[in-house]
Amino acid sequence: MKVIFFSTQSYDKTFFELHNKDYGFTLEFLDVPLNEKTAALATGAEAVCVFVNDKVNAAVLEKLATQDVRLVALRCAGFNQVDLAAAARLHMPVVRVPAYSPHAVAEHAVAMLMTLNRKIHKAYNRIREQNFSLAGLLGFDLYGKTVAVIGTGNIGQVFCKIMLGFGCRVLAFDVVEQEAMKQAGVTYAPLHDILPQADILSLHCPLNEHTRYLINHDTLDRMKKGAMLINTSRGGLIDTRSVIRALKSEQLGALAIDVYEQEESLFFRDLSDHIITDDVLMRLMSFPNVLVTAHQGFFTQEALTQIAQVTLGNLKAFVEKTPLLNEVKQV
Ligand code: NAI
């Protein structure tokens, strides 16, 4: 089977080629993203393999279907970029990698929290310039602080456990409560109850019609003044303009984001020689208490290995007509 990869980075090619030795698929790697203009490049392939910022809307799926593409393989967990109703209508299964090292993302969220709190990014630059002053680097003990987690699925659960290990009080909100988390010491409560209590709020729920702009003017207003917000989930969970207002008024004390709503035109490429026209992101990056990473939460050796192995396994199941255990369907 021939599979065309969109939005390929060098590391995708390395890991997929390595593990494809066990499968023998014909893999073709394109660096362009999938969208209405590039869908034609999938001609001759039975499957496309796409990532978080590829556009898999109805128009793209229809184009793919007319070219006899029969499967969409996501090499990621989130599937908010796919029109699942259109895929079902076109009888085109969509498979994903439901969990690939939840530790990778949870640990990155913790790394961002720690960096922002203890100002490691500033200390690193300062020391390199022989400035050994501590002024402006004051942080706080995590021990005893209240951490709120929205979404206690694979990643949220790992994050909760790490925070419990730090000696934090952990509150959580999820539409499905996990007994194991309660046993571990996590207290579930409605969103409006946990917002005013949290010193740190970390988002680990998917982006869907219920969670879009979960963090908005009202929810920010309900948060404890000066709290820290961490988003390693999806950019659309946050109304960035409201967050900027809250940072300006100091209602929000600090922000760490690994994802950004408009990230598809920026992330995963070197734009150091370009003029960035996204004024919202540039305003965000001008705050001293904002830390931005470019969707690197998943980026560990273990996660890339699992992404390649599970995706190739999904393709194999499709070819062999065995049950697609990792299929995503519209609920
Ligand atoms: P998961 O599906 O295991 O867990 C998601 C949790 O969110 C579930 O417990 C679900 O019940 C809960 N949830 C759903 N709707 C909710 C709502 N309205 N309010 C509160 N909770 C709700 O997903 P997993 O693997 O933990 O991933 C979470 C998110 O992390 C993904 O959706 C994806 O967007 C993001 N992600 C980010 C990566 C990165 O590199 N930064 C890499 C992988 C995932």
Side-chain angles (χ1 to χ4, degrees), residues 46-307:
E46 282 165 78
V48 291
C49 185
V50 298
F51 197 48
V52 291
N53 293 325
D54 287 300
K55 282 210 169 58
V56 198
N57 58 25
V60 169
L61 286 163
E62 276 156 22
K63 276 196 181 150
L64 293 176
T66 58
Q67 291 157 223
D68 293 330
V69 172
R70 294 187 295 128
L71 177 76
V72 175
L74 305 174
R75 52 180 192 277
C76 55
F79 48 88
N80 53 282
Q81 72 277 41
V82 186
D83 185 335
L84 291 176
R89 185 163 35 80
L90 295 161
H91 306 292
M92 201 184 289
V94 177
V95 287
R96 65 167 178 151
V97 185
Y100 47 89
S101 182
H103 303 278
V105 185
E107 289 173 12
H108 187 69
V110 178
M112 296 193 90
L113 191 173
M114 297 297 283
T115 303
L116 202 46
N117 174 26
R118 304 304 296 266
K119 325 277 191 290
I120 304 297
H121 52 314
K122 292 187 186 182
Y124 174 81
N125 285 329
R126 210 180 260 196
I127 300 284
R128 285 171 73 91
E129 302 212 342
Q130 299 161 40
N131 174 355
F132 301 103
S133 154
L134 298 184
L137 300 184
L138 190 66
F140 56 81
D141 282 9
L142 263 180
Y143 178 80
K145 292 292 181 298
T146 299
V147 177
V149 179
I150 314 290
T152 53
N154 292 308
I155 297 169
Q157 288 185 43
V158 175
F159 183 80
C160 284
K161 286 185 207 159
I162 299 173
M163 290 296 102
L164 288 166
F166 272 108
C168 296
R169 174 177 168 243
V170 181
L171 306 177
F173 169 68
D174 196 313
V175 286
V176 183
E177 300 187 0
Q178 300 289 337
E179 203 47 47
M181 284 292 97
K182 291 184 192 172
Q183 300 289 333
V186 172
T187 306
Y188 282 93
L191 184 62
H192 62 264
D193 283 352
I194 64 175
L195 288 175
Q197 298 185 58
D199 299 295
I200 294 145
L201 178 66
S202 194
L203 307 180
H204 298 288
C205 57
L207 175 64
N208 56 38
E209 69 274 22
H210 304 294
T211 59
R212 183 171 296 279
Y213 290 171
L214 183 82
I215 302 301
N216 54 42
H217 181 70
D218 289 342
T219 43
L220 284 160
D221 237 22
R222 272 194 228 154
M223 284 173 69
K224 191 178 198 174
K225 188 170 170 67
M228 182 191 289
L229 173 64
I230 301 161
N231 185 11
T232 55
S233 210
R234 284 291 178 268
L237 295 177
I238 287 183
D239 172 5
T240 313
R241 288 172 199 277
S242 295
V243 162
I244 289 173
R245 273 198 295 276
L247 284 162
K248 282 165 86 174
S249 69
E250 299 181 27
Q251 165 64 13
L252 187 62
L255 172 75
I257 53 170
D258 185 46
V259 285
Y260 170 59
E261 202 178 3
Q262 311 302 336
E263 69 178 49
E264 69 265 22
S265 54
L266 299 162
F267 285 9
F268 305 120
R269 61 194 92 141
D270 179 0
L271 299 177
S272 47
D273 280 343
H274 291 63
I275 305 296
I276 305 290
T277 53
D278 184 329
D279 293 344
V280 176
L281 182 70
M282 295 318 272
R283 179 67 182 104
L284 260 190
M285 295 198 318
S286 73
F287 290 99
N289 50 352
V290 170
L291 181 65
V292 181
T293 53
H295 209 134
Q296 72 177 82
F298 73 101
F299 201 51
T300 66
Q301 294 181 9
E302 290 78 2
L304 291 187
T305 300
Q306 246 177 320
I307 287 171

